Amino acid sequence: MQNLSNIGQIKDVLTRHGFSFSKSLGQNFLINPSICPKMAEMAGATEDVGVIEIGAGIGVLTAELATRAKKVVSIEIDSRLLPILDETLSDFDNIEVINADVMKIDLHKLIEEKFSGMNVIVCANLPYYITSPIIMMLLESRLNIESITVMVQSEAADRLCAKVGSRQAGAVTVAVDYYAQAYKLFDVSRGSFMPAPNVDSKVIRLDVRKEPQVELTDEKKFFKMVKAAFAQRRKTALNSISAGMGLPKQQVESALIKSGLETNVRAEKLSMTELATLCENL
Ligand code: SAM
C-alpha cells in the first residue's frame, strides 16, 4: 500500500495525473500521518460497520476507514480524482467511489443499496465551503446512520458543539442539538494539510439521537423561529423573532410571558426546552 500522507508520494501521484488543486471545491488534502488513523478509530469504523465518506481527495482517509470497516462508499464530486483513486486505493476490495455531489445524491437509496444489514456511520474531512449545509442535510434527512465524525474549521466546530443556552450557541447549534449529541474530539493544525488553509480545524463527532431532543408539533415553525431569534444576536429574542418572522411584538411578548420567560431575554440564554415551549406558545 502506498503512503498517502507522504508529501513526496502525493506530489508524485498528483503530478503524474496532471492534477491541480481546486480552491472552490475546498481541496485541502491531509498530509499529517497521525490524523486519519485517529479519526477512523474515533469515528467507530469497525469490522461490521459501513462508512459513507464525503470527499475522498486522494484517498488518505478512505484507506484508513477501509482498513478497519466492512465497507466504505466515498462520494467525490471531482471526476479528475477518479483515476488517481483507482491507483491509490487499488489494494482494497471494500471501497466504492461514487462521482457525485453529496448534496444531490439520494443517500437513503445509497444506504439501502450499499449497506444492507450494516450499521452505518459518516466520516469525512469536509470541504470548508459547505460544512454546515452538509451536516444539516445529513441530520435533516433523518438517514439511518449512527454518527457523523467530521473535520471542520475550528470556529465552526465550536459553534456546532456549543451548549444551547451559552454565548457560543447559534441557530445551527440548536439544530444540531435537536438531532444529535455533539462532541469535540481533537484539534488539527493548518500545517496538517496541503495546501495549508488559513485556519485550524477540529474533528467533531455527532451521535445521532434515536428521538429528537424535544417533542415539537411544528418543526418548520420551530426552525424558522430559531433562525429569526439568533439572526440579530445583540437584540432581544422578542425583537429578533418579531422582525424575522414578521409577527407583531405583542404576540411574541405574550408568548414569552406564557412560557415563563423574561421579555428582554436574548436567544443565546434560552435552553432547548424553553425554545420549544416558546414556539408552542407563539
Ligand atoms: N478526504 C481527503 C483528505 O482528507 O485529504 C480530501 C478532503 S478535502 C478537504 C474535501 C474533498 O471533498 C475534496 O476532495 C473535494 O473535491 C470534495 N468535495 C467538495 N465538494 C463536494 C461535494 N459537494 N460532494 C462531494 N465531494 C465534494
Side-chain angles (χ1 to χ4, degrees):
M1 194 172 105
Q2 301 179 59
N3 180 355
L4 296 177
S5 19
N6 177 290
I7 302 188
Q9 291 204 16
I10 299 173
K11 282 188 174 156
D12 170 62
V13 76
L14 294 179
T15 312
R16 273 191 292 105
H17 288 269
F19 182 85
S20 55
F21 291 95
S22 158
K23 207 173 171 185
S24 64
L25 288 179
Q27 288 178 342
N28 303 96
F29 295 168
L30 272 165
I31 49 167
N32 177 339
S34 70
I35 306 294
C36 292
K38 200 163 151 188
M39 210 173 151
E41 294 281 337
M42 293 180 95
T46 50
E47 59 192 7
D48 52 349
V49 163
V51 188
I52 300 177
E53 188 195 14
I54 299 156
I58 63 160
V60 61
L61 177 60
T62 326
E64 293 297 338
L65 291 167
T67 304
R68 294 165 177 78
K70 182 159 186 165
K71 182 172 181 180
V72 180
V73 173
S74 189
I75 303 160
E76 172 55 62
I77 199 171
D78 189 346
S79 59
R80 298 175 306 152
L81 287 165
L82 299 197
I84 297 178
L85 290 162
D86 262 352
E87 184 182 323
T88 56
L89 301 176
S90 61
D91 288 348
F92 294 91
D93 60 5
N94 61 342
I95 298 176
E96 191 175 331
V97 178
I98 298 181
N99 183 208
D101 180 343
V102 71
M103 298 302 283
K104 297 198 178 137
I105 194 168
D106 182 345
L107 289 172
H108 286 283
K109 200 166 145 213
L110 184 144
I111 290 172
E112 211 179 286
E113 286 178 1
K114 312 282 182 194
F115 295 111
S116 162
M118 290 177 229
N119 280 341
V120 180
I121 62 172
V122 173
C123 186
N125 169 13
L126 288 179
Y128 288 155
Y129 76 100
I130 195 175
T131 303
S132 292
I134 292 178
I135 292 175
M136 287 322 300
M137 176 276 290
L138 294 171
L139 293 172
E140 283 169 357
S141 322
R142 294 213 150 89
L143 299 170
N144 192 8
I145 54 175
E146 304 288 314
S147 62
I148 302 169
T149 303
V150 281
M151 186 170 327
V152 299
Q153 273 191 35
S154 211
E155 290 71 21
D158 292 343
R159 180 57 62 93
L160 290 162
C161 299
K163 191 171 159 359
V164 175
S166 74
R167 280 201 74 183
Q168 279 186 317
V172 76
T173 318
V174 178
V176 165
D177 192 40
Y178 178 68
Y179 294 107
Q181 194 147 16
Y183 309 89
K184 283 186 219 170
L185 296 182
F186 59 93
D187 295 342
V188 181
S189 70
R190 62 195 74 187
S192 301
F193 301 89
M194 182 170 83
N198 298 324
V199 288
D200 295 318
S201 295
K202 285 191 176 104
V203 177
I204 63 169
R205 175 164 158 163
L206 311 177
D207 285 341
V208 178
R209 298 183 195 279
K210 297 281 173 244
E211 298 294 334
Q213 166 83 318
V214 283
E215 222 175 285
L216 300 172
T217 41
D218 188 344
E219 258 183 24
K220 222 171 141 190
K221 179 176 159 198
F222 177 76
F223 287 116
K224 192 173 171 195
M225 184 199 82
V226 167
K227 211 171 153 195
F230 284 93
Q232 293 164 295
R233 300 182 66 80
R234 275 192 268 158
K235 288 198 178 172
T236 59
L238 193 166
N239 285 336
S240 309
I241 293 171
S242 159
M245 294 180 82
L247 294 173
K249 278 194 186 176
Q250 222 183 354
Q251 188 182 335
V252 183
E253 192 171 31
S254 318
L256 282 161
I257 294 168
K258 199 170 167 199
S259 309
L261 298 168
E262 301 285 340
T263 53
N264 63 351
V265 72
R266 284 173 207 269
E268 65 191 35
K269 293 274 180 215
L270 298 174
S271 69
M272 185 64 104
T273 315
E274 286 170 334
L275 285 163
T277 310
L278 178 58
C279 182
E280 295 299 313
N281 290 326
L282 200 60

